[in-house]
Amino acid sequence: MDARFTAEQEEIRRTLRELLVKRCGPEEVRAAVRSPDGYDPALWDALAQQLGLPGLALPEAYGGVGCSVTELALACEESGRALAPSPLLSTAVLAAPLILALGTEAQRAELLPCLASGELTAALAVPGARLATVLGLVGDNRGDWAGGGRAGGIQARQADGVWRLYGQAAQVLDGHSAGLLVVAAHTGGFVRARTLLFLVRAGETRVGDGDVDGLVRVRQTSLDGTRPQARIELRDVEAELLGDEGADVTGALAAVGDVAAAVLAAEAVGAADRALERTVEYVRQREQFGRAIGSFQAVKHRLADVYVGVQAARSAAYYAAWAVGAGAGAGADGERVGGLALAQALEALRVAASEGIQLHGGIGFTWEHEAHLYFKRSAGDELLFGPVHRLRGYAADMAHLFDSGSGSSGSNSSSSSSSRGEVAV
């Protein structure tokens, strides 16, 4: 087995890093976060038109590049290094795969080329603040998270052949600026309750005619400003059913969750690696007692531990991207490779960002320095997609890691635990 990256994959990494170094420094990130969209439209156009990132993992038949999850993960690793604010995650990782998996041929032919070119951005809206659950990262997503009856959430009803939505979604990534909303809603009442996905043409794009009546979108203040979030209110909004009523929506969401976890893991590794690089650069320059603080053994030990954590997380992220792309995202016992890789990557990012702030001293926690941006990315991602202990706990549950079989001997239990120990990251 050759685990090396191909020349094309290395070229994707090199080209994207060069572009982001030139156009997405700390000051550009701050300016983009303060903008109405929450990202730089000119940079997004460059990422989409010049590099084709939104369509990287989409089939060529729908205007995509036709690459795999591995290439998308490598691209997101580089965007994570720069903390580049963009709708890449919400559009290419969360929304587009759902349209590809569940949409009718007409819906795919109409929407996917626009998403692949970057002309149209999309967002996944789910009830409440349950994105990690909906994607099957921290629990079974076949429960009642979509709401129903008096439980709240988002409701869908059909009248005269037209679907209409009402309810509210919070923490919708890029929901305030996306031209297309993919909304998860409950329908069927108590007797025939089920969850379906709907399309809401939310903004002025090539495939839309402006904001929809009854749709209210408000950008929220979030801990991590580089991931803009919005609250979506649906007040009897007309919507289009994605695919057909018999679609396996929860299964598709779980599959997207596997891909998203692998991509997010790579993104977190990129951020952790850059946070470590910045810290190493600083301790080489900062002097105390007449010598650089990086020469002190205690500082070396701390940074060595961070380095080991980042490299281990990188290996896990790369393997998860390959496994998900190859259809091996869940092992024979149900292990969630993507979720485990994401847990390790988020932990590595949290440690790298925390040590960076500590070793930068008094300036490390100030608003003027960029070290806090990496710490906020770490904390924000755990709030959205974790936390780490729940990612690992659910992966252990899926693998039946701590189940004791009835009538099994101690030696068998020990052997079973040993055989599965490799997944307990």
Side-chain angles (χ1 to χ4, degrees):
M1 175 181 176
D2 187 358
R4 293 176 298 180
F5 291 119
T6 65
E8 291 78 8
Q9 290 169 336
E10 292 290 359
E11 183 65 15
I12 291 173
R13 185 202 299 275
R14 183 192 64 80
T15 304
L16 183 54
R17 182 174 297 189
E18 289 180 356
L19 176 64
L20 292 176
V21 166
K22 293 178 181 178
R23 302 185 57 173
C24 197
E27 293 306 316
E28 288 80 4
V29 169
R30 287 189 173 90
V33 167
R34 292 192 296 265
S35 68
D37 289 335
Y39 64 91
D40 180 5
L43 177 61
W44 173 246
D45 287 343
L47 295 175
Q49 301 296 331
Q50 298 178 21
L51 303 182
L53 292 193
L56 202 58
L58 289 176
E60 294 182 43
Y62 298 111
V65 180
C67 292
S68 68
V69 177
T70 302
E71 285 77 14
L72 185 58
L74 288 175
C76 286
E77 182 182 356
E78 294 305 316
S79 67
R81 284 179 58 88
L83 298 182
S86 79
L88 181 63
L89 176 63
S90 58
T91 299
V93 181
L94 297 179
L98 289 172
I99 297 173
L100 179 63
L102 301 178
T104 64
E105 182 56 37
Q107 290 171 334
R108 291 196 292 262
E110 177 191 10
L111 297 174
L112 290 179
C114 298
L115 294 173
S117 67
E119 298 175 36
L120 177 67
T121 60
L124 174 62
V126 300
R130 304 173 182 175
L131 184 58
T133 300
V134 171
L135 296 177
L137 299 178
V138 297
D140 184 8
N141 72 342
R142 297 182 182 274
D144 58 352
W145 51 265
R150 298 179 180 177
I154 300 177
Q155 310 299 318
R157 61 181 176 83
Q158 191 175 26
D160 299 327
V162 177
W163 286 98
R164 308 196 74 86
L165 307 179
Y166 59 97
Q168 179 173 301
Q171 295 182 341
V172 180
L173 294 176
D174 297 300
H176 64 293
S177 61
L180 177 71
L181 297 178
V182 180
V183 183
H186 173 93
T187 187
F190 293 103
V191 179
R192 301 174 57 195
R194 62 192 187 281
T195 300
L196 298 175
L197 293 181
F198 297 88
L199 302 174
V200 176
R201 314 301 175 97
E204 295 183 353
T205 64
R206 189 167 67 84
V207 296
D209 296 321
D211 285 339
V212 177
D213 290 340
L215 176 64
V216 178
R217 302 192 285 173
V218 180
R219 183 175 177 181
Q220 295 176 302
T221 300
S222 57
L223 176 63
D224 178 16
T226 64
R227 286 210 196 280
Q229 301 175 27
R231 185 182 75 253
I232 306 295
E233 296 179 7
L234 301 151
R235 303 170 180 175
D236 204 32
V237 173
E238 183 176 339
E240 175 187 346
L241 178 65
L242 178 62
D244 58 66
E245 296 187 39
D248 182 11
V249 171
T250 54
L253 286 168
V256 168
D258 288 338
V259 174
V263 172
L264 284 163
E267 187 186 68
V269 165
D273 189 51
R274 184 55 182 150
L276 175 60
E277 285 183 3
R278 290 176 180 271
T279 305
V280 171
E281 292 171 1
Y282 181 78
V283 299
R284 284 175 173 172
Q285 300 171 2
R286 171 73 185 275
E287 292 189 358
Q288 193 173 23
F289 305 113
R291 55 191 289 194
I293 63 173
S295 65
F296 296 129
Q297 191 174 41
V299 174
K300 290 181 179 180
H301 286 175
R302 292 172 70 172
L303 291 177
D305 288 341
V306 174
Y307 175 80
V308 171
V310 172
Q311 294 304 317
R314 174 176 279 116
S315 296
Y318 288 172
Y319 173 73
W322 169 84
V324 171
D333 289 325
E335 301 96 331
R336 310 302 290 232
V337 176
L340 287 170
L342 178 57
Q344 188 161 1
L346 289 179
E347 185 173 58
L349 175 54
R350 183 179 66 230
V351 173
S354 301
E355 291 288 1
I357 289 176
Q358 288 288 326
L359 293 176
H360 273 83
I363 196 176
F365 66 88
T366 61
W367 182 260
E368 291 76 16
H369 200 275
E370 59 270 19
H372 72 96
L373 296 176
Y374 290 89
F375 185 81
K376 290 178 178 178
R377 168 59 66 88
S378 167
D381 276 4
E382 282 210 54
L383 289 172
L384 281 171
F385 305 105
V388 167
H389 72 273
R390 291 192 63 191
L391 288 166
R392 286 177 171 155
Y394 183 57
D397 290 342
M398 291 293 293
H400 308 288
L401 197 61
F402 302 113
D403 291 354
S404 56
S406 58
S408 61
S409 64
S411 60
N412 288 339
S413 297
S414 174
S415 173
S416 177
S417 297
S418 174
S419 67
R420 293 170 181 155
E422 62 182 7
V423 305
V425 179

